[in-house]
Amino acid sequence: MKYLVMIQARCGSTRLPNKVLADLSGKPDLQRVIERVRQSKLIDEVMVITSIEKNNLPLIKLCTELDTRVFVGSENDVLDRYYQAAKLLEPEYVIRITADCPMFDWRYLDMAIEQLEMDTDYIGEMTESFPDGLDIEIMKYSALEQSWKEATLTSEREHVTQYIRKHPEKYNIKNLECPIKGIGDKRWTLDEDKDYEMISKVYEYFASEGKEFFVTEDVLDFLKYHPEIECLNCNIERNEGLKKSLANDGIAVIK
């Protein structure tokens, strides 16, 4: 297997509990993400990885209904969860996507795969040029395995690719740049009540238009004429969870 997509999901979110099961025009968030990822022309398989907590049972049931492989692992050591799941299949590349991205654009996943070179250990958004919620990270299985062995900080275990991103002397790292300029400040992720309100309205519109698989340009065009919807969640800080983890490890966050 060459390209294995691993969607990180759990029901125990503190800011928006059960967000992965939140309804978006008739389907739960996680199903929306899985279906959008599966639009990719280049990937081999999609796997959902969750934690061993009992509250994730509805999520596991959903994956079964969607004929999607699911792996259950550590609650807090997400790096271990990724490695233990990937070790079962040993793909050449592991693709990390999170379940809080229901507006995920699969075309950028294929774009990222096409930009991989033989010596690329990791490709991801280093410059925040994509809207928050279109996140894609691809790493070699060998890089994931090495980071699993060497990462020690809590932030490196909780946030899967932190160790790789912090060690360019060990890994060949490539930036993934959004082909549409000037949209990196937009927030399309599902993490707060206001996010759900905003994303629900986007889904309601496209459902009324009969367009289930809308893409980035469609959303931009819709929000251009509905700025009041875009403003619903525009004041929420990006990467709040990561910044908190880094602070707990005594690592200064450079803005």
PDB file of all heavy atoms in Angstrom, residues 142-154:
ATOM      1  N   SER A 142       8.354   5.727   7.440  1.00  0.00           N
ATOM      2  CA  SER A 142       9.642   5.665   8.144  1.00  0.00           C
ATOM      3  C   SER A 142       9.852   6.888   9.024  1.00  0.00           C
ATOM      4  O   SER A 142      10.421   6.791  10.120  1.00  0.00           O
ATOM      5  CB  SER A 142      10.794   5.537   7.142  1.00  0.00           C
ATOM      6  OG  SER A 142      10.778   6.608   6.208  1.00  0.00           O
ATOM      7  N   ALA A 143       9.388   8.071   8.581  1.00  0.00           N
ATOM      8  CA  ALA A 143       9.503   9.291   9.386  1.00  0.00           C
ATOM      9  C   ALA A 143       8.577   9.220  10.590  1.00  0.00           C
ATOM     10  O   ALA A 143       8.944   9.635  11.703  1.00  0.00           O
ATOM     11  CB  ALA A 143       9.181  10.513   8.533  1.00  0.00           C
ATOM     12  N   LEU A 144       7.372   8.698  10.393  1.00  0.00           N
ATOM     13  CA  LEU A 144       6.441   8.509  11.508  1.00  0.00           C
ATOM     14  C   LEU A 144       7.036   7.563  12.545  1.00  0.00           C
ATOM     15  O   LEU A 144       6.984   7.822  13.753  1.00  0.00           O
ATOM     16  CB  LEU A 144       5.115   7.952  10.985  1.00  0.00           C
ATOM     17  CG  LEU A 144       4.076   7.549  12.041  1.00  0.00           C
ATOM     18  CD1 LEU A 144       3.603   8.761  12.835  1.00  0.00           C
ATOM     19  CD2 LEU A 144       2.888   6.842  11.381  1.00  0.00           C
ATOM     20  N   GLU A 145       7.619   6.480  12.074  1.00  0.00           N
ATOM     21  CA  GLU A 145       8.209   5.494  12.987  1.00  0.00           C
ATOM     22  C   GLU A 145       9.363   6.096  13.791  1.00  0.00           C
ATOM     23  O   GLU A 145       9.455   5.901  15.014  1.00  0.00           O
ATOM     24  CB  GLU A 145       8.705   4.286  12.199  1.00  0.00           C
ATOM     25  CG  GLU A 145       9.274   3.175  13.062  1.00  0.00           C
ATOM     26  CD  GLU A 145       9.664   1.968  12.247  1.00  0.00           C
ATOM     27  OE1 GLU A 145      10.215   2.138  11.140  1.00  0.00           O
ATOM     28  OE2 GLU A 145       9.405   0.839  12.702  1.00  0.00           O
ATOM     29  N   GLN A 146      10.218   6.864  13.130  1.00  0.00           N
ATOM     30  CA  GLN A 146      11.344   7.478  13.830  1.00  0.00           C
ATOM     31  C   GLN A 146      10.870   8.499  14.855  1.00  0.00           C
ATOM     32  O   GLN A 146      11.380   8.550  15.982  1.00  0.00           O
ATOM     33  CB  GLN A 146      12.302   8.144  12.841  1.00  0.00           C
ATOM     34  CG  GLN A 146      13.537   8.744  13.511  1.00  0.00           C
ATOM     35  CD  GLN A 146      14.454   9.443  12.536  1.00  0.00           C
ATOM     36  OE1 GLN A 146      14.077   9.707  11.389  1.00  0.00           O
ATOM     37  NE2 GLN A 146      15.669   9.758  12.967  1.00  0.00           N
ATOM     38  N   SER A 147       9.882   9.315  14.487  1.00  0.00           N
ATOM     39  CA  SER A 147       9.378  10.318  15.434  1.00  0.00           C
ATOM     40  C   SER A 147       8.697   9.639  16.622  1.00  0.00           C
ATOM     41  O   SER A 147       8.799  10.112  17.754  1.00  0.00           O
ATOM     42  CB  SER A 147       8.409  11.281  14.732  1.00  0.00           C
ATOM     43  OG  SER A 147       7.258  10.611  14.261  1.00  0.00           O
ATOM     44  N   TRP A 148       8.025   8.516  16.393  1.00  0.00           N
ATOM     45  CA  TRP A 148       7.407   7.747  17.475  1.00  0.00           C
ATOM     46  C   TRP A 148       8.467   7.273  18.468  1.00  0.00           C
ATOM     47  O   TRP A 148       8.246   7.290  19.685  1.00  0.00           O
ATOM     48  CB  TRP A 148       6.641   6.564  16.890  1.00  0.00           C
ATOM     49  CG  TRP A 148       6.109   5.608  17.911  1.00  0.00           C
ATOM     50  CD1 TRP A 148       4.991   5.746  18.684  1.00  0.00           C
ATOM     51  CD2 TRP A 148       6.676   4.343  18.275  1.00  0.00           C
ATOM     52  NE1 TRP A 148       4.828   4.655  19.506  1.00  0.00           N
ATOM     53  CE2 TRP A 148       5.844   3.776  19.272  1.00  0.00           C
ATOM     54  CE3 TRP A 148       7.801   3.629  17.848  1.00  0.00           C
ATOM     55  CZ2 TRP A 148       6.114   2.531  19.842  1.00  0.00           C
ATOM     56  CZ3 TRP A 148       8.071   2.392  18.412  1.00  0.00           C
ATOM     57  CH2 TRP A 148       7.225   1.859  19.402  1.00  0.00           C
ATOM     58  N   LYS A 149       9.627   6.890  17.970  1.00  0.00           N
ATOM     59  CA  LYS A 149      10.704   6.410  18.826  1.00  0.00           C
ATOM     60  C   LYS A 149      11.382   7.539  19.595  1.00  0.00           C
ATOM     61  O   LYS A 149      11.812   7.352  20.738  1.00  0.00           O
ATOM     62  CB  LYS A 149      11.763   5.681  17.987  1.00  0.00           C
ATOM     63  CG  LYS A 149      11.304   4.359  17.404  1.00  0.00           C
ATOM     64  CD  LYS A 149      12.385   3.748  16.523  1.00  0.00           C
ATOM     65  CE  LYS A 149      11.946   2.422  15.926  1.00  0.00           C
ATOM     66  NZ  LYS A 149      12.961   1.858  15.000  1.00  0.00           N
ATOM     67  N   GLU A 150      11.470   8.725  18.992  1.00  0.00           N
ATOM     68  CA  GLU A 150      12.318   9.778  19.537  1.00  0.00           C
ATOM     69  C   GLU A 150      11.573  10.915  20.228  1.00  0.00           C
ATOM     70  O   GLU A 150      12.149  11.607  21.074  1.00  0.00           O
ATOM     71  CB  GLU A 150      13.198  10.353  18.416  1.00  0.00           C
ATOM     72  CG  GLU A 150      14.153   9.318  17.811  1.00  0.00           C
ATOM     73  CD  GLU A 150      15.023   9.894  16.710  1.00  0.00           C
ATOM     74  OE1 GLU A 150      14.928  11.121  16.434  1.00  0.00           O
ATOM     75  OE2 GLU A 150      15.803   9.126  16.118  1.00  0.00           O
ATOM     76  N   ALA A 151      10.320  11.154  19.887  1.00  0.00           N
ATOM     77  CA  ALA A 151       9.575  12.282  20.469  1.00  0.00           C
ATOM     78  C   ALA A 151       9.308  12.036  21.951  1.00  0.00           C
ATOM     79  O   ALA A 151       8.853  10.957  22.332  1.00  0.00           O
ATOM     80  CB  ALA A 151       8.274  12.496  19.717  1.00  0.00           C
ATOM     81  N   THR A 152       9.572  13.031  22.778  1.00  0.00           N
ATOM     82  CA  THR A 152       9.406  12.876  24.228  1.00  0.00           C
ATOM     83  C   THR A 152       8.462  13.900  24.847  1.00  0.00           C
ATOM     84  O   THR A 152       7.842  13.626  25.883  1.00  0.00           O
ATOM     85  CB  THR A 152      10.768  12.980  24.933  1.00  0.00           C
ATOM     86  OG1 THR A 152      11.362  14.246  24.609  1.00  0.00           O
ATOM     87  CG2 THR A 152      11.688  11.852  24.504  1.00  0.00           C
ATOM     88  N   LEU A 153       8.355  15.082  24.272  1.00  0.00           N
ATOM     89  CA  LEU A 153       7.512  16.124  24.845  1.00  0.00           C
ATOM     90  C   LEU A 153       6.036  15.777  24.696  1.00  0.00           C
ATOM     91  O   LEU A 153       5.629  15.143  23.717  1.00  0.00           O
ATOM     92  CB  LEU A 153       7.795  17.467  24.182  1.00  0.00           C
ATOM     93  CG  LEU A 153       9.190  18.067  24.393  1.00  0.00           C
ATOM     94  CD1 LEU A 153       9.337  19.341  23.579  1.00  0.00           C
ATOM     95  CD2 LEU A 153       9.446  18.331  25.864  1.00  0.00           C
ATOM     96  N   THR A 154       5.241  16.214  25.655  1.00  0.00           N
ATOM     97  CA  THR A 154       3.797  15.962  25.611  1.00  0.00           C
ATOM     98  C   THR A 154       3.179  16.537  24.342  1.00  0.00           C
ATOM     99  O   THR A 154       2.336  15.905  23.699  1.00  0.00           O
ATOM    100  CB  THR A 154       3.110  16.571  26.851  1.00  0.00           C
ATOM    101  OG1 THR A 154       3.662  15.978  28.027  1.00  0.00           O
ATOM    102  CG2 THR A 154       1.610  16.327  26.818  1.00  0.00           C
TER     103      THR A 154
END
